[in-house]
Amino acid sequence: MVPFLSLCSLRSLAAAERNVIFIITDDESPTLGCYGDPVAKTPAIDAIAADGMLFRNAFATTASCSASRSVVMSGLHNHRNGQFGHQHHYHKFASFHDVVGLAMPQVMKNAGYRTGQIGKYHVAPEAVYHFETYLKGNSRNAVEMADASRDFITDGSDDRPFFLYFATSDPHRGGGVDKTSKRELKPDLFGNKPNGKAYPGVDEVFYDPADVVVPAFLPDTPETREELAQYYQSCSRIDQGVARLVEILKANDLYDKTMIVFTADHGMAFAGGKTTVYEGGLRVPFVVRDPYQSKRGTESEALISHIDITPSILDFAGGLDPKTNGPKNPINVKKYWAERDEAIKDNRNGGKSFDSYHGKSWMHCLANPDEPHHETIFASHTFHEIQMYYPMRVVRDDKYKLIWNIAYPLPYPFASDLWAASSWQAQWKKGPDAAYGNKTVDGYVHRPQFELYDIAADPNETSNLADSEGHKDILERYKAKLKAMQKEMQDPWIMKWDYE
């Protein structure tokens, strides 16, 4: 432990050494060489993992872009922070205003950091998740983003340490379809340039559909493989941007003064991944290089969650109060909004103040790789697009996973891009009994009320044990655990146990 330091000396230490770059990608599973993927070409991130820590059991709390990012940036589950779904277009979900007291950019500023953001934002209100500096760069070209961040990273006119939030739009679907495909159902481009073209400064890595790894939750079809090849290419483009960031840090003697955190908002954008609470949706890559740790090149089996990110980064910055599990230098939220003359009459907190994080710092795991973190993790999904009401609640430990499909009488709703995906449409057209990964098309669309998986023995979630006579006691135990966590995490949907 560091001996007592005055606030001034702590800030002086931070100013000299303790910068942070937080990298978050869009819809990426652990498609990285460091996670054992034999195909993915990701040397830059692999190198960071080799000199840092790789977390093998890192999970999003919800596989939906805006909702997940609100969790990352608040340390609160989205059902509590108020951002139930997408921020953009007519969806218009937003967090409660008083989340400002825990919001990542605000607490880092109060901890003595200059804060910058580049790339995808996708949360609201902006006054809650406010950065001092907004940088511009094509979020589909991480190399360009890194170059656009250079001046912020190397700014010597401000003696505060820097905190950079670096958010790519890769490997999210988008950019049309690959018209060169010979198949009737053509793959999405996943942001790649058509006709084999490259973004400026990027040496695009192209993948043969025959070589890609098909996850167990997807059907091994030509359509799936073509889409995965595009997805892999998009992932490799991110890696080149990370490489450029590292170059900039090393060239300016900052690499060994900067903690780098790499993760994704949730899993890959395929039906069975994104918008689900299956492993393909919630499991994310998570790599941390803290240059001040003596133990490096390590791995952790600890269960960590996106709710842990803000308190962990704040802990590294010296700004986390271990007694309150909140900021040492908290914002007076009533004064904050009064001075802005904003949201004066709004429902700013949902009836309860935001005093502490749902998550907790994983910094101890970096120092002691064998230490556990959470015994159980909790996930809560309610919306993606506003039309997609399908609340699900999850508890998962290292033995079992319970999913409660609260709206189970309804057919499972599709995100518009996942519905249009050639990998889904090819199977949909074959009919309800067509195979879709470990399920059928109909089994994917129509869910039971409860899904219980022996996650240790059945990591691909192939066998639902909820109706198994031999697992009745386990089902009831995990239902009780789920209720307890809903109460602890202040989940309004807890009333559904009795209300319906």
Side-chain angles (χ1 to χ4, degrees):
M1 295 291 290
V2 177
F4 175 79
L5 293 170
S6 69
L7 181 60
C8 289
S9 61
L10 183 61
R11 283 183 176 172
S12 177
L13 174 65
E17 301 177 327
R18 302 176 76 82
N19 307 298
V20 181
I21 295 180
F22 176 72
I23 304 166
I24 184 166
T25 66
D26 200 353
D27 303 1
E28 185 174 11
S29 294
T31 310
L32 301 165
C34 54
Y35 277 91
D37 190 306
V39 179
K41 294 179 176 61
T42 54
I45 300 165
D46 297 348
I48 291 172
D51 194 33
M53 172 170 277
L54 182 146
F55 285 92
R56 290 211 166 271
N57 291 295
F59 295 89
T61 65
T62 181
S64 175
C65 305
S66 280
S68 179
R69 288 162 195 271
S70 74
V71 176
V72 166
M73 294 174 69
S74 72
L76 301 167
H77 283 280
N78 67 285
H79 70 255
R80 178 67 182 103
N81 72 46
Q83 186 134 6
F84 293 104
H86 278 340
Q87 178 267 337
H88 69 288
H89 205 25
Y90 47 70
H91 312 292
K92 206 180 182 304
F93 288 100
S95 295
F96 287 112
H97 284 79
D98 282 0
V99 170
V100 69
L102 298 176
M104 177 189 283
Q106 300 280 10
V107 298
M108 289 299 284
K109 177 184 176 183
N110 270 20
Y113 281 68
R114 54 188 177 90
T115 63
Q117 186 272 344
I118 188 167
K120 189 164 182 175
Y121 187 67
H122 217 202
V123 289
E126 194 276 334
V128 168
Y129 301 109
H130 176 71
F131 291 83
E132 293 175 301
T133 303
Y134 292 97
L135 305 168
K136 294 182 179 180
N138 183 353
S139 60
R140 288 292 190 179
N141 183 349
V143 173
E144 180 182 313
M145 289 173 64
D147 286 337
S149 303
R150 186 192 307 269
D151 288 347
F152 174 81
I153 291 171
T154 61
D155 184 5
S157 66
D158 190 327
D159 64 2
R160 293 177 298 168
F162 70 81
F163 169 64
L164 176 63
Y165 182 95
F166 188 95
T168 69
S169 289
D170 287 330
H172 195 289
R173 287 174 178 267
V177 298
D178 179 13
K179 295 180 180 179
T180 66
S181 170
K182 297 178 181 179
R183 308 206 67 81
E184 178 186 355
L185 296 171
K186 302 188 186 305
D188 189 274
L189 283 169
F190 286 81
N192 301 319
K193 292 276 191 181
N195 303 313
K197 294 181 180 178
Y199 285 90
V202 175
D203 183 11
E204 296 282 358
V205 180
F206 301 100
Y207 291 86
D208 187 333
D211 295 335
V212 298
V213 177
V214 181
F217 65 85
L218 292 178
D220 191 346
T221 64
E223 289 82 5
T224 298
R225 285 183 169 276
E226 282 196 347
E227 289 215 304
L228 282 170
Q230 297 287 341
Y231 160 78
Y232 268 76
Q233 179 183 338
S234 193
C235 291
S236 285
R237 187 164 53 253
I238 296 166
D239 189 77
Q240 293 190 35
V242 174
R244 183 62 59 86
L245 279 173
V246 170
E247 287 176 8
I248 292 168
L249 291 172
K250 288 182 175 179
N252 292 277
D253 192 27
L254 292 168
Y255 188 59
D256 287 325
K257 301 173 184 177
T258 304
M259 182 168 78
I260 299 174
V261 181
F262 178 92
T263 190
D265 58 354
H266 50 72
M268 62 173 65
F270 286 80
K274 182 177 180 176
T275 75
T276 76
V277 291
Y278 296 127
E279 297 291 282
L282 297 184
R283 187 180 284 274
V284 292
F286 210 94
V287 174
V288 181
R289 181 187 182 272
D290 176 0
Y292 300 103
Q293 294 295 336
S294 58
K295 296 179 182 178
R296 308 260 277 281
T298 58
E299 294 187 2
S300 172
E301 297 291 337
L303 285 171
I304 66 169
S305 167
H306 272 171
I307 55 172
D308 302 325
I309 292 173
T310 290
S312 300
I313 291 176
L314 186 59
D315 189 15
F316 174 81
L320 184 70
D321 186 337
K323 294 181 180 179
T324 65
N325 195 35
K328 284 182 180 176
N329 184 22
I331 294 171
N332 182 325
V333 295
K334 186 175 182 179
K335 181 180 178 182
Y336 180 87
W337 295 113
E339 288 178 348
R340 294 179 62 92
D341 192 25
E342 184 178 344
I344 304 301
K345 294 293 186 180
D346 280 0
N347 169 16
R348 296 202 307 258
N349 60 21
K352 188 169 176 133
S353 61
F354 298 101
D355 300 316
S356 63
Y357 294 108
H358 280 160
K360 58 184 180 179
S361 173
W362 35 246
M363 288 299 297
H364 68 99
C365 293
L366 302 185
N368 300 288
D370 294 331
E371 284 193 3
H373 194 55
H374 292 290
E375 177 186 334
T376 305
I377 58 169
F378 177 71
S380 66
H381 179 97
T382 308
F383 285 96
H384 180 64
E385 296 163 2
I386 198 169
Q387 310 94 325
M388 292 179 61
Y389 177 73
Y390 200 85
M392 299 172 283
R393 298 297 185 263
V394 179
V395 283
R396 184 205 192 279
D397 56 25
D398 59 0
K399 296 181 178 67
Y400 288 94
K401 177 177 180 179
L402 177 66
I403 300 172
W404 180 24
N405 296 308
I406 300 173
Y408 70 97
L410 298 175
Y412 186 76
F414 269 78
S416 53
D417 57 343
L418 300 188
W419 170 257
S422 60
S423 49
W424 169 258
Q425 283 294 322
Q427 300 308 99
W428 172 257
K429 290 177 182 296
K430 294 176 184 177
D433 294 329
Y436 192 82
N438 294 320
K439 300 180 182 297
T440 63
V441 165
D442 186 67
Y444 183 79
V445 173
H446 297 100
R447 311 278 175 91
Q449 184 177 15
F450 293 103
E451 297 177 66
L452 177 67
Y453 297 103
D454 182 343
I455 207 69
D458 181 22
N460 292 325
E461 301 165 301
T462 60
S463 181
N464 180 12
L465 304 173
D467 294 328
S468 166
E469 287 292 326
H471 291 83
K472 278 188 175 181
D473 59 333
I474 295 172
L475 177 63
E476 292 307 313
R477 187 175 0 130
Y478 278 76
K479 282 183 182 179
K481 185 179 287 194
L482 178 55
K483 290 179 187 178
M485 293 203 77
Q486 285 185 279
K487 183 177 181 180
E488 178 186 352
M489 302 298 178
Q490 303 166 314
D491 178 16
W493 271 257
I494 194 171
M495 70 173 61
K496 292 292 187 178
W497 289 101
D498 301 316
Y499 183 67
E500 293 184 353

